[in-house]
């Protein structure tokens, strides 16, 4: 892989940038990276031209419209449309222009809201989805099915990784669009600077979530690209979850915010629990490395050194 042209679609995002770091550290020499302005993946003709010209041998499909519970609730059309367009354009062009292998990134929210925990890959489509992010989930399920269908009908080597909630450097720290962990880092940091009494935490604090550092995910993606070729999706997680209240306490401690955590029950909780069963990935010889504690601390360091730029 190191001497082959590799497209990392979405290389400026949380996941794509981590995959680029991991590939460069591993010796990759021909990364194909395009900003959205250079290549709009929602536009089929542009994607077609790009693949015809550059013919990447490997594709990491990390481009997607992503966001937290509020962004998902308020922009259902964009979450459905953009993700369907991006993945359809890229998977089809990759197959038709001779890509040897493609890795598609999904999400743990594809699994039914009340499926038994930890969530195995086999519980896909066995029950209703969590309504706060069903538009995104439906698009991701379609992407997974497209990879399976292209493998069955055309013999295209497309594999699917289903990560749990991710965090790390390069995350979205906006208060309305982000996921919970970066939102809490920012809220606690700003509250500390302003000597505020309290930080508002959405929901009841009881939902449980599993968090994986994005550098661990990137390492898993490269491992799967090298060692896995099958139609079954592979969960990628940390293996343990925490309640949102516990997470808020960990973030407050790492940031040094000593005020009150105030839970706002008028905001949605989302799905009650979302812990992945990762035994399939473990059997493939991969394990995560970065503890939640260490990951929160290093992400907070990253945030502090970029806070000024992020606020602009
Ligand atoms: P989800 O995993 O798809 O539900 O996405 P999120 O990361 O956005 O939310 C996870 C949980 O954290 C939900 O129960 C939210 O209500 C809760 N939460 C608490 N405070 C915040 C916050 O400031 N931002 C976000 N996005 N979620 C929060």
């Amino acid at each position: 892989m190191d001497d082959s042209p590799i497209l990392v679609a979405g290389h400026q995002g949380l996941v794509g940038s981590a995959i680029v770091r991991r590939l460069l550290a591993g010796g990759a020499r021909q990364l194909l990276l395009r900003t959205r302005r250079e290549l709009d993946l929602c536009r089929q003709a542009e994607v077609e031209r790009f693949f015809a010209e550059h013919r990447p041998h490997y594709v990491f499909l990390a481009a997607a419209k992503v966001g937290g519970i509020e962004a998902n609730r308020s922009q259902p059309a964009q979450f459905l449309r953009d993700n369907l367009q991006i993945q359809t354009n890229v998977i089809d062009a990759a197959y038709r222009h001779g890509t040897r292998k493609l890795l598609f990134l999904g999400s743990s929210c594809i699994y039914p809201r009340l499926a038994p925990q930890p969530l195995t890959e086999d519980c896909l489509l066995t029950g209703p989805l969590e309504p706060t992010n069903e538009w995104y989930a439906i698009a991701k399920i379609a992407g997974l099915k497209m990879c399976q269908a292209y493998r069955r009908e055309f013999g295209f080597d497309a594999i699917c990784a289903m990560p749990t909630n991710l965090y790390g450097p390069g995350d979205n720290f906006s208060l309305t669009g982000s996921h919970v962990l970066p939102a809490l880092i920012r809220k606690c940091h700003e509250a500390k600077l302003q000597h505020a009494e309290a930080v508002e935490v959405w929901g009841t604090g009881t939902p449980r979530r599993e968090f994986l550092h994005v550098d661990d995910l990137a390492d898993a993606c490269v491992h799967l690209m090298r060692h896995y070729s099958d139609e079954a999706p592979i969960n990628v997680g940390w293996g343990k979850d925490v309640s949102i209240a516990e997470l808020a306490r960990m973030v407050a401690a790492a940031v040094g915010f000593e005020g009150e955590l105030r839970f706002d029950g008028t905001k949605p909780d989302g799905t009650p629990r979302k812990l992945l069963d990762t035994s399939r990935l473990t059997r493939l010889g991969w394990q995560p490395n970065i503890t939640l504690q260490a990951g929160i601390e290093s992400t907070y360091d990253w945030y502090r050194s970029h806070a000024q730029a992020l606020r602009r």
Side-chain angles (χ1 to χ4, degrees), residues 6-224:
I6 305 174
L7 169 64
V8 181
H11 76 282
Q12 290 184 310
L14 173 68
V15 172
S17 59
I19 291 175
V20 168
R21 285 194 297 277
R22 173 63 185 76
L23 288 170
L24 289 174
R29 279 175 283 275
Q30 286 198 63
L31 295 189
L32 297 166
L33 308 174
R34 295 292 182 277
T35 63
R36 187 176 305 178
R37 190 176 298 180
E38 291 163 341
L39 172 60
D40 183 348
L41 298 172
C42 292
R43 305 264 166 238
Q44 198 234 347
E46 287 187 34
V47 176
E48 186 62 28
R49 253 197 314 276
F50 174 84
F51 272 84
E53 186 176 342
H54 298 284
R55 298 185 171 273
H57 290 179
Y58 298 92
V59 174
F60 289 87
L61 180 40
K65 179 166 177 62
V66 295
I69 197 162
E70 174 54 27
N72 270 272
R73 188 200 58 76
S74 57
Q75 302 166 31
Q78 294 179 58
F79 274 84
L80 188 60
R81 179 199 61 198
D82 291 6
N83 288 308
L84 286 173
Q85 286 178 335
I86 292 168
Q87 67 206 29
T88 304
N89 292 341
V90 173
I91 294 168
D92 185 59
Y95 156 63
R96 279 183 304 95
H97 293 286
T99 291
R100 292 178 193 163
K101 192 165 184 175
L102 176 145
L103 181 142
F104 172 68
L105 276 141
S107 159
S108 58
C109 70
I110 63 165
Y111 297 122
R113 176 171 205 266
L114 297 178
Q117 309 272 332
L119 299 155
T120 63
E121 291 88 348
D122 297 333
C123 70
L124 182 69
L125 294 174
T126 56
L129 297 166
E130 158 61 33
T132 51
N133 52 28
E134 68 176 334
W135 317 96
Y136 177 73
I138 292 277
K140 288 293 181 185
I141 292 170
L144 186 162
K145 287 289 164 193
M146 189 160 170
C147 289
Q148 292 180 336
Y150 272 53
R151 175 180 292 277
R152 286 191 193 185
E153 187 173 343
F154 305 134
F156 181 44
D157 194 359
I159 59 172
C160 302
M162 295 300 134
T164 191
N165 288 34
L166 301 167
Y167 69 97
D171 209 341
N172 171 1
F173 286 84
S174 98
L175 292 181
T176 47
S178 70
H179 286 100
V180 60
L181 197 151
L184 289 176
I185 286 183
R186 177 168 174 177
K187 286 182 188 176
C188 289
H189 177 72
E190 291 179 354
K192 183 178 81 168
L193 295 186
Q194 292 155 12
H195 305 288
E197 251 177 48
V199 156
E200 184 194 278
V201 184
W202 294 356
T204 57
T206 56
R208 300 186 69 81
R209 294 288 184 275
E210 178 189 20
F211 296 95
L212 181 73
H213 193 282
V214 73
D215 287 343
D216 270 339
L217 171 73
D219 194 58
C221 288
V222 172
H223 185 85
L224 290 171

Side-chain angles (χ1 to χ4, degrees), residues 222-238:
V222 172
H223 185 85
L224 290 171
M225 194 61 123
R226 291 189 195 280
H227 302 294
Y228 183 70
S229 282
D230 214 327
E231 70 165 47
I234 302 286
N235 288 343
V236 188
W238 170 251

